[in-house]
Structures are given as C-alpha cells and as structure tokens.
Amino acid sequence: VLETGIGAARTETALTWVLGQPEFGKVPYRQKLVLSAGFAGGLQEHLQVGDVLLADEVVDLVGNRWPTTWP
C-alpha cells in the first residue's frame, strides 16, 4: 500500500519512487499492479458514497491516453 497524498505533484513523487524499484533489505521491490483509489468521484453528482468506478483508460492533463488492464 502506498499513500500518495492529495494532488498531482504528490502522486507523481510517490509513483516515481515506487516505480523506481526501491530496495527493502537490499532486495528491489517490483510491484505487480497499480490500483489507484481516491475521492475524485466526489466531483460527479451521479456518484454516491461507496460507488466503485472502474476506468477503461487513464487521461493526463494534456490529453494523452493509456488503456487500463482491467478486463
């Protein structure tokens, strides 16, 4: 579990660290997947507390798109 904090800068810092294979006991950590969970759903009126939103792609601030691996 990796808590990034709020905002793009904190998320980028945390992901850069974890994706850079930090060492734990001199063994590089290699994650098997990334699951992002947050509170952005609060920005959509039709989403309620406890709703789960599964994305089929990720879009950055300039419009770049990446498909997710969720089936």
Side-chain angles (χ1 to χ4, degrees):
V1 175
L2 174 66
E3 182 179 341
T4 65
I6 298 171
R10 289 182 179 177
T11 300
E12 181 178 6
T13 298
L15 287 176
T16 298
W17 174 78
V18 77
L19 296 175
Q21 297 182 1
E23 291 187 353
F24 293 96
K26 298 192 179 192
V27 176
Y29 173 75
R30 298 182 70 182
Q31 71 290 334
K32 293 181 181 179
L33 62 92
V34 174
L35 170 69
S36 178
F39 303 100
L43 301 175
Q44 299 293 320
E45 292 181 15
H46 68 278
L47 295 175
Q48 302 295 315
V49 172
D51 283 355
V52 175
L53 176 71
L54 300 175
D56 57 7
E57 68 180 353
V58 177
V59 182
D60 70 12
L61 294 174
V62 294
N64 295 311
R65 297 173 179 271
W66 298 269
T68 63
T69 56
W70 189 262

